[in-house]
Amino acid sequence: MLSPPAWAVSDLPEPPPFTPRSAVRVLGFGAVVLAFSLGAGEWLLGPAVLARYGATILWIAGASVLLQTLLNTEMARYTLYTGEPVFTAFMRTRPGRAFWGWTYGALHFLQSAWPGWALTAATAVAALFLGRVPDKGDRVVVLYFGYLAFLVSILFVLLDEPVGRTREYAERIMTAMILAFLTLIGLFLVPGDVWLAATRGFVAPLLGSRPLPQEVDWLLLAAFAAYSGAGGANATLTYWLRDKGIGMGATVGYLPAVVGGEQVLVDRGGAVFPLSAENLRKWRGWWKYVRADQWWLWAPGSLVGVGLPALLVLAFIEPGTTLGGYGIAAWMGQALGTRYGLLLWVLALLAGFGTLFTTQIGNAEGFARVSTDLLWTASGTVRAWRGGDARALYYSALLALTLWGCVAITLTDPLTLILIGANVAAGNLVLLSFHTLVVNRRFLPRELRPARWREAGLVLCGLFFGGFVLLSLLQQLGLTRP
């Protein structure tokens, strides 16, 4: 199998001086993915798990976020050096680019093609429309709003050129507002002993608590582990680094905005820099930005994003409650509204809808862009299709997602759709961890390779998510008891 083009050689661009102002300007991926992760694990799966099993299960989220942060930075390491997304690195390994391109493309589809975020967002809209929490008898109403949310999310993706930057800023503002809303609720309405229980939950096994309950729904816990963080979409960090011109990303081409942009053929060859003292100095400057984005912004934000909804669950939801069905996104509105009135009912439902709907938009956009990039790099036949116009592939990927999503949205309840994608995401995290370890050891010069403890962390990351995937699969096959 052919490999992607050989690297060019060029000096590493100069990073901006690291100041608070430049950090705010350069950083951003952590904020974007934080908005996605709020919708993924924190708003739905976290509450579903905590209501059922209690605060001591929060250690899974804490471990997941820390391991994913390490994984993110190690994938970024390759892109800083070559300007290529990490998937291109994977295609440079045996058995070749076609195998890995189609493999990761298929896994990406299996993870992203379930429009659970649109359907869960619809449960919040249906609650506003009905004036109560929807139940199974309101399935048709929820499906109506679910189709509407899903198709509007596709429309937003198609309008990405004129509205993309505005939407990115809006997502940051919305994320900050939701975190502020949850913080205020936590500070003024949640008792101190609940705060203490939630805090202790993140380190519960270290304090002597039983790490897992006696009866475990492994499908739910594997989903919680995967979506407490970037939810398997971690590799999109490397596309963001390339597209924003971080490190050697400034020296290579990338896909333009599809609607309203000119047709630009994309050069898939990366570029590396000579290991001079000057380039190594610049490398340390760029690496400081990546570490700040992940360890100062995304990791703490993700932990706070898990912890704040957890406070409300622990304070207001009866222990042992099973959250699910066609009112899953209305749980917070019901909990607050029944105690404190109409205003908090409405605000909580609007916050739930905003979080989940923007997650669906990000999911659809990420699927189309990553699928286009993956298949373009993997296949010469794909690159030659329609005269080498990448937009045709982009639209085809988005059409496939739309058609399948319109079918999948009717198959089961909202939470189950999310559980399916989340368990595939857990499997993706296993593959990403071990494959990143391989490519960094193989392609990076010794001076830029990670320390041994970081490599051990990647192995631990793969084993952590692999254990959940294995136990979930065995339970679904009836080979283990709950």
Side-chain angles (χ1 to χ4, degrees), residues 11-15 277-287:
D11 282 330
L12 183 63
E14 183 74 38
E278 183 66 9
N279 281 328
L280 289 175
R281 178 191 64 80
K282 297 174 186 176
W283 164 270
R284 291 189 290 271
W286 285 117
W287 184 247

Side-chain angles (χ1 to χ4, degrees), residues 15 17 62 73 102 130 151 283 294 342 422 430:
T73 56
W102 289 100
L130 297 169
L151 294 175
W283 164 270
Q294 290 298 298
L342 179 63
V430 178

Side-chain angles (χ1 to χ4, degrees), residues 150 153-159 259 361 363-369 371-372 392-405:
F150 179 57
S153 73
I154 299 297
L155 179 62
F156 268 97
V157 176
L158 291 173
L159 297 175
V259 177
I361 296 173
N363 189 66
E365 180 186 35
F367 170 77
R369 288 187 177 274
S371 297
T372 300
L393 180 57
Y394 184 98
Y395 285 126
S396 298
L398 200 57
L399 177 61
L401 177 68
T402 303
L403 294 176
W404 170 248

Side-chain angles (χ1 to χ4, degrees), residues 43-52 119-120 123-124 133-137 142 217 220 317 320-332 334 412-419:
W43 199 269
L44 291 179
L45 292 175
V49 169
L50 287 162
R52 190 164 175 180
L119 198 56
T120 51
T123 67
V133 177
D135 56 29
K136 192 173 182 178
V142 174
D217 182 346
L220 180 61
I317 301 294
T321 300
T322 299
L323 296 179
Y326 288 87
I328 179 64
W331 72 269
M332 188 181 295
Q334 182 183 41
T412 185
D413 65 273
L415 184 59
T416 301
L417 287 176
I418 291 174
L419 291 177

